[in-house]
């Protein structure tokens, strides 16, 4: 039997390089973009909204489809913290006939600093109240 298989990366919020700041904030986003958007504050306290816009997200999904069609056995996703983002991603993949298993990427974040660093690096959406709860627990 075969002991090896091929896994590829999937990005439920879009690849970090495809995520951009939205000058108009949440009001400038489509409903699907709002579900993927990250809202954070910069060092001055100003609210910053970032997202992989729908057009780029569709390109990301098309590229994932190419990887799966080329022989990938399953997809492992980038870390995410909002379960709805994952469910939306799986639904979008299934609509494109991506039928392989999509394994959620899990990362153990043990400290507030680790949570802040990794979500900033990966441009990960934080569910409402999560950062506040993490800060209170710190």
């Amino acid at each position: 039997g075969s002991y090896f298989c091929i896994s590829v990366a999937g990005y439920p919020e879009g690849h970090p390089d495809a995520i951009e700041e939205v000058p108009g904030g949440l009001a400038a986003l489509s409903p699907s973009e709002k579900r993927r958007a990250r809202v954070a504050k910069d060092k001055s306290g100003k609210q910053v909204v970032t997202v992989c816009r729908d057009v780029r997200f569709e390109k990301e999904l098309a590229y994932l489809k190419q990887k799966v069609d080329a022989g990938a056995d399953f997809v492992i996703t980038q870390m995410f913290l909002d379960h709805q983002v994952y469910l939306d991603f799986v639904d979008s993949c299934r609509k494109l006939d991506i039928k392989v298993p999509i394994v959620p990427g899990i990362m153990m974040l043990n400290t507030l600093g680790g949570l802040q660093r990794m979500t900033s690096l990966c441009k990960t959406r934080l569910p409402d109240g999560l950062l506040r709860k993490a800060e209170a627990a710190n």
Side-chain angles (χ1 to χ4, degrees):
S2 176
Y3 295 99
F4 298 97
C5 63
I6 298 171
S7 174
V8 295
Y11 298 91
E13 296 166 310
H15 189 281
D17 290 345
I19 294 174
E20 61 188 72
E21 187 172 338
V22 181
L26 289 172
L29 301 180
S30 71
S32 59
E33 290 170 339
K34 285 179 184 174
R35 289 165 70 111
R36 289 190 308 274
R38 180 174 195 260
V39 179
K41 291 188 177 179
D42 65 13
K43 291 181 182 180
S44 70
K46 176 186 159 218
Q47 186 182 69
V48 177
V49 175
T50 56
V51 72
C52 180
R53 303 304 298 254
D54 286 336
V55 171
R56 294 216 40 201
F57 192 72
E58 294 301 321
K59 289 179 185 177
E60 297 268 333
L61 289 172
Y63 183 55
L64 179 60
K65 172 86 169 120
Q66 289 176 342
K67 294 190 288 186
V68 170
D69 289 348
D73 297 300
F74 65 103
V75 174
I76 298 178
T77 73
Q78 168 96 357
M79 172 188 86
F80 62 89
L81 297 172
D82 186 333
H83 73 280
Q84 191 60 54
V85 169
Y86 172 75
L87 296 174
D88 291 346
F89 178 70
V90 171
D91 185 54
S92 295
C93 288
R94 298 302 182 234
K95 287 177 182 172
L96 287 177
D97 205 34
I98 297 173
K99 304 266 187 200
V100 299
I102 301 173
V103 179
I106 307 281
M107 177 175 279
M108 215 41 176
L109 300 167
N110 297 323
T111 66
L112 177 61
L115 172 70
Q116 291 169 326
R117 273 189 305 283
M118 288 309 298
T119 56
S120 177
L121 177 69
C122 298
K123 302 177 182 175
T124 304
R125 173 189 173 84
L126 292 167
D128 288 338
L130 179 69
L131 185 58
R132 225 176 8 263
K133 289 177 184 176
E135 288 170 340
N138 192 39

